Amino acid sequence: MNSIVPDSSTTAAIELLNKSLHRHKVGLADEHAAKLAEYCDLLWEWNAQLNLTRHTDFEQFVTRDLIDSLRLASHIPEEQSVLDVGAGGGVPGVVLAITRPDLNVSMAESVGKKAKALKDICRKLRLSVPVHAARAEDVLKKHHYDVLTLRAVAPLRKILFWFQRHTTAFGSILAIKGPRWVAERDEADKEGLLAGVDLDVIDEYPTPGHDNNSVILSIRYQRPVA
Ligand SMILES: C[S@@+](CC[C@H](N)C(=O)[O-])C[C@H]1O[C@@H](n2cnc3c(N)ncnc32)[C@H](O)[C@@H]1O
């Protein structure tokens, strides 16, 4: 692993991040916190050119991005291959790659400029994470993953519609959703998109500073027994 020798601005950034982590009782290994501070720096630098995130300080990063990503990570078994669909600025994909080095993380981002920024961020962070500048549905025509992750990408009916034709290319989908997930599930059900699908809420947790809970949905397609 590459060692990080922080300069004074990096040290200040790590201190700020650690304060937020402490405030929200999030425990992280020192080297992961340092790498996340470096990630935020690169993300916010790219954000001046591209709209990648609205969370532009460590407090927002921890409460809105990191807690979601770590919660999601706790449901992914060791050493699995993961495709983060619609990675945007790299949440949860880059956070998973940093905090769960046992995982084999890839990202799909359909907007070319965003994918280019993600590639640059991963290169500078020395993360070996393939970034596909493509729609995830197209990536699944050539690759197989144990888990697809999604946050803030599309309503459930779209997610189910996109991936129903590619069910042999992945094991399960883990989607982070807000309270609208119930209405989204009902819409998907009306369109017949839940036939042959096991959809379960596997986690529910409060977002600091917000009244509503977030949920993690597990989506698995039932396959005929061979
Ligand atoms: C609102 S952003 C969310 C980004 C990130 N997941 C987050 O939570 O901050 C949604 C991103 O998904 C991308 N996207 C939408 N549909 C996609 C698809 N089918 N395959 C790959 N990327 C997709 C969009 O280009 C956009 O950058």
Side-chain angles (χ1 to χ4, degrees), residues 92-225:
V94 172
V95 181
L96 289 176
I98 291 172
T99 59
R100 286 286 308 275
D102 61 294
L103 298 176
N104 192 353
V105 178
S106 301
M107 296 188 277
E109 171 48 58
S110 57
V111 172
K113 283 183 191 168
K114 292 187 184 181
K116 188 177 160 215
L118 274 177
K119 281 181 194 176
D120 179 69
I121 289 170
C122 289
R123 185 180 57 78
K124 288 180 175 152
L125 289 174
R126 301 167 300 281
L127 292 174
S128 166
V129 174
V131 178
H132 300 276
R135 293 189 66 82
E137 305 90 295
D138 292 329
V139 177
L140 292 176
K141 289 175 187 164
K142 289 190 190 151
H143 301 273
H144 180 280
Y145 301 91
D146 296 315
V147 182
L148 306 184
T149 57
L150 292 105
R151 188 187 79 158
V153 178
L156 265 180
R157 65 179 172 75
K158 278 201 184 173
I159 295 172
L160 292 162
F161 180 74
W162 291 342
F163 297 121
Q164 66 181 357
R165 289 182 211 145
H166 303 282
T167 58
T168 55
F170 62 90
S172 66
I173 299 174
L174 293 179
I176 300 172
K177 286 277 169 197
R180 247 195 69 75
W181 80 268
V182 177
E184 290 186 14
R185 179 200 56 196
D186 294 347
E187 276 165 23
D189 199 20
K190 271 191 205 135
E191 293 183 27
L193 290 161
L194 283 173
V197 175
D198 291 327
L199 183 139
D200 298 295
V201 178
I202 57 168
D203 204 351
E204 180 160 7
Y205 54 95
T207 305
H210 286 73
D211 293 339
N212 299 318
N213 283 357
S214 296
V215 295
I216 298 181
L217 301 178
S218 157
I219 300 166
R220 281 182 184 275
Y221 285 83
Q222 296 154 10
R223 298 192 175 95
V225 180

Side-chain angles (χ1 to χ4, degrees), residues 53-129:
T53 182
R54 283 181 289 124
H55 308 149
T56 50
D57 62 43
F58 285 115
E59 186 64 12
Q60 290 176 318
F61 172 70
V62 169
T63 56
R64 308 310 309 276
D65 296 321
L66 187 64
I67 287 177
D68 269 355
S69 302
L70 295 179
R71 214 65 200 210
L72 185 72
S74 72
H75 297 283
I76 305 177
E78 275 184 21
E79 295 183 7
Q80 296 226 311
S81 56
V82 175
L83 178 69
D84 186 31
V85 175
V91 177
V94 172
V95 181
L96 289 176
I98 291 172
T99 59
R100 286 286 308 275
D102 61 294
L103 298 176
N104 192 353
V105 178
S106 301
M107 296 188 277
E109 171 48 58
S110 57
V111 172
K113 283 183 191 168
K114 292 187 184 181
K116 188 177 160 215
L118 274 177
K119 281 181 194 176
D120 179 69
I121 289 170
C122 289
R123 185 180 57 78
K124 288 180 175 152
L125 289 174
R126 301 167 300 281
L127 292 174
S128 166
V129 174

